[in-house]
Amino acid sequence: MKKIFTLLAATMGLLSASAQQHGAMTFAGKSVFYISAGSTQMGTTETASDTVRYEGSDLTLPSMKYNNMVIPSFTIKNTKYTGDHEGVTWADQPFTATVGGKEVKGSSLKGSFTHDGGVYKLSLALTFNYGAMPMPITYSIESYYVKPTTKQVSVVVGGSIGPYINPSVTYDARIYEVDGQKQLDIALHEYSLDGTVMGDILLGSHIIKGLTWNEEKGGYFRDYSQDGITFHFKTSQGMDGNYGFTKGGNLLVKMNGTDITYAENAFQPGAMPFPIVSTFGKDDATGIDHVTTTQQQVSKSRKYISNGQLIIERDGKKYNVQGIEIR
């Protein structure tokens, strides 16, 4: 009997160590929150992208809001599970946590962490009471791993102006499945470029969703020019606002597992008549046909300095670097 208990203890120790090999992982996905009053559900709230953190046997939930009440983010420690870093199951279990001096008393926690073909998925369902609140809260989430990658970004304006370099820019990648097809979301963090022809510029954060595999280009690709995305664009020469992508909004991303190895983004903010092309990491070929075509067109334009200002002539019209036509 002693040998059996020793074997069980050793096995659980190995599972715990194996589950912690992945380190801290952040997941994002759609969540549903509601309060139960008997058979009635109140305050049902759906959030398109909530964030959960998973590390070893600990789970950190996001903050939740109901009317004027805010439940701060809290961590459930030492959850019980079976499996390893490739797949974990949480059988239905009670739990407790403390946040802001109030107790979180859970009557149910269950879920799973799966890894299938490069798609890491975390599904959770919890029921708990918060502080002195008499009615239980139910929270569930279907989420996918968000992996940050930091590399150098190189930016070229108008096909030949630049490149301008920022050595440390972060993109977040999130691979998931829709009807059996892998899709990729990329969150571009805010970054700056100094000393460009437009002065010092700041490109705001934004998310490009729904990239799908393109065999010809050898990566995940999306033309996002019609997706209604806006981002903050600021220059030391006067541009400062939120701009959409009028044309040429194309993103190609090459992956190695959950890591981004290379990305190329071609876009034209606002009324700018020529493209900005940014490359994330290094690659031998662009793979984006639209970028190549646009660059060839721009290369035929004439650029010169007039009264200390860069002027670009194209198709018989003159533009400044902000894309404003000079008449």
Side-chain angles (χ1 to χ4, degrees):
M1 183 64 71
K2 183 177 180 181
K3 289 182 178 179
I4 293 174
F5 281 121
T6 302
L7 179 60
L8 286 173
T11 302
M12 291 305 295
L14 286 172
L15 286 175
S16 177
S18 183
Q20 294 182 33
Q21 285 178 5
H22 58 67
M25 301 177 74
T26 298
F27 293 77
K30 181 180 178 180
S31 70
V32 179
F33 164 97
Y34 63 85
I35 295 173
S36 297
S39 59
T40 303
Q41 295 181 5
M42 303 187 307
T44 300
T45 303
E46 294 187 0
T47 302
S49 184
D50 250 351
T51 300
V52 175
R53 183 180 173 90
Y54 168 38
E55 183 174 12
S57 60
D58 298 346
L59 296 167
T60 300
L61 280 295
S63 62
M64 307 169 200
K65 185 176 182 180
Y66 174 67
N67 291 335
N68 295 323
M69 179 188 72
V70 176
I71 302 173
S73 171
F74 60 89
T75 299
I76 306 168
K77 294 183 176 294
N78 301 317
T79 61
K80 298 176 182 178
Y81 57 86
T82 56
D84 57 24
H85 65 285
E86 292 293 338
V88 165
T89 298
W90 287 271
D92 200 356
Q93 60 191 275
F95 65 91
T96 58
T98 302
V99 59
K102 295 183 179 181
E103 183 182 27
V104 178
K105 188 173 183 180
S107 60
S108 175
L109 182 158
K110 54 188 175 182
S112 63
F113 163 62
T114 59
H115 172 207
D116 183 15
V119 178
Y120 292 79
K121 183 178 181 181
L122 178 67
S123 302
L124 295 172
L126 306 90
T127 301
F128 61 92
N129 289 78
Y130 173 64
M133 189 172 181
M135 296 175 291
I137 296 166
T138 296
Y139 177 87
S140 61
I141 186 168
E142 298 283 334
S143 59
Y144 295 86
Y145 180 39
V146 177
K147 177 64 180 295
T149 302
T150 301
K151 292 182 180 292
Q152 171 182 292
V153 160
S154 175
V155 175
V156 174
V157 180
S160 59
I161 306 171
Y164 304 106
I165 306 295
N166 185 315
S168 181
V169 176
T170 300
Y171 284 10
D172 292 340
R174 176 178 175 266
I175 300 175
Y176 54 101
E177 287 189 345
V178 176
D179 297 329
Q181 181 188 44
K182 285 185 183 179
Q183 295 193 14
L184 173 68
D185 292 351
I186 296 293
L188 295 80
H189 290 215
E190 177 183 277
Y191 67 95
S192 60
L193 295 167
D194 297 334
T196 77
V197 293
M198 295 177 282
D200 298 338
I201 65 175
L202 180 72
L203 296 94
S205 61
H206 53 287
I207 301 176
I208 300 171
K209 298 182 178 182
L211 283 77
T212 54
W213 179 257
N214 186 300
E215 188 68 32
E216 181 180 355
K217 300 181 188 301
Y220 290 88
F221 178 79
R222 184 171 181 84
D223 177 349
Y224 60 88
S225 56
Q226 303 301 314
D227 289 356
I229 301 170
T230 61
F231 78 119
H232 191 72
F233 188 77
K234 181 179 180 180
T235 76
S236 59
Q237 294 185 0
M239 291 182 72
D240 187 3
N242 294 323
Y243 296 88
F245 300 97
T246 54
K247 54 184 176 179
N250 289 341
L251 177 62
L252 171 69
V253 178
K254 297 186 178 182
M255 304 287 295
N256 180 14
T258 57
D259 294 320
I260 302 171
T261 59
Y262 173 76
E264 183 170 313
N265 187 22
F267 57 95
Q268 294 179 233
M272 186 173 287
F274 39 84
I276 296 175
V277 179
S278 69
T279 54
F280 180 82
K282 296 181 180 180
D283 193 69
D284 294 333
T286 66
I288 302 181
D289 296 336
H290 183 85
V291 175
T292 304
T293 301
T294 305
Q295 286 179 334
Q296 288 171 348
Q297 292 172 348
V298 173
S299 66
K300 297 176 183 178
S301 62
R302 189 166 73 96
K303 307 176 183 70
Y304 58 91
I305 302 295
S306 176
N307 296 324
Q309 183 181 27
L310 178 67
I311 305 298
I312 299 176
E313 282 191 8
R314 180 183 175 190
D315 299 328
K317 297 180 180 180
K318 298 179 181 180
Y319 301 91
N320 63 18
V321 293
Q322 297 173 345
I324 300 173
E325 185 178 355
I326 301 172
R327 299 181 184 276

